Amino acid sequence: MSASSPQFDLRAYLLGAGADDPVPAGRWTVERDLLDRGDGTRGTFSGVVLLIPDDDGGLALREEGTMRWPSFTGPATREYLLRPSGQPDALDVFFPDGRPFHRMSFAAEVNRDNHWCDPDTYRVAYTCEGPDRFSYSWDVTGPRKDLLLTSRLTRTTA
């Protein structure tokens, strides 16, 4: 089953849980390259992503790790809610307060989405690289930002 087939279940892929797991959770390491194209500043983020099933068939996502930027090195976290989209190969991503963010999918026809954050535009592209690896990049452009953020995730075990 490929990430672009109608049978591909994105939620199950992210969880990677076996049928005998009492509490399935998806665990991933994340490595992110940060580039401010406006001034050439580069940074990184290294950490872990944990995806926990919730009662509505979605997932709670928590990312935590260390950000390294010329003006800051230290802990960084973020959280999102992933909700069923009506298609098994896609999930709708929301901010913790319930505001919509974008759609996540590996299917070729819908693996790209965007988000307007006045006055800048965030464009995302997802790529499934195998059963235990995927990546995505955010291309952020506008009068305030000119960023390229590239994330690579690898499945881990406990």
Side-chain angles (χ1 to χ4, degrees):
M1 171 169 32
S2 76
S4 61
S5 78
Q7 275 55 43
F8 181 79
D9 185 329
L10 180 57
R11 183 178 183 275
Y13 171 83
L14 293 171
L15 287 174
D20 57 350
D21 288 347
V23 181
R27 291 178 180 86
W28 301 80
T29 60
V30 59
E31 298 293 329
R32 181 171 301 122
D33 294 322
L34 315 166
L35 171 62
D36 183 332
R37 293 177 291 213
D39 64 11
T41 302
R42 292 182 178 273
T44 61
F45 174 86
S46 297
V48 296
V49 174
L50 184 62
L51 295 130
I52 303 290
D54 59 21
D55 293 338
D56 72 355
L59 299 169
L61 181 152
R62 177 161 176 88
E63 177 181 284
E64 55 188 43
T66 302
M67 182 174 168
R68 290 174 180 82
W69 193 252
S71 59
F72 172 82
T73 295
T77 64
R78 65 180 173 183
E79 297 180 356
Y80 296 111
L81 304 171
L82 284 63
R83 299 286 180 240
S85 68
Q87 302 169 260
D89 64 350
L91 291 166
D92 290 327
V93 181
F94 292 84
F95 293 104
D97 65 5
R99 289 175 298 130
F101 188 17
H102 70 284
R103 179 160 285 181
M104 176 185 190
S105 179
F106 299 133
E109 61 278 1
V110 291
N111 71 325
R112 298 175 184 272
D113 203 358
N114 61 66
H115 174 77
W116 171 254
C117 185
D118 193 16
D120 302 309
T121 300
Y122 288 64
R123 291 178 186 86
V124 66
Y126 285 95
T127 304
C128 182
E129 299 172 356
D132 298 315
R133 290 183 60 91
F134 74 95
S135 63
Y136 61 94
S137 62
W138 282 100
D139 180 9
V140 185
T141 57
R144 291 193 184 154
K145 296 179 182 170
D146 189 6
L147 305 172
L148 181 61
L149 314 171
T150 304
S151 301
R152 294 164 308 285
L153 288 85
T154 304
R155 187 183 313 279
T156 63
T157 56

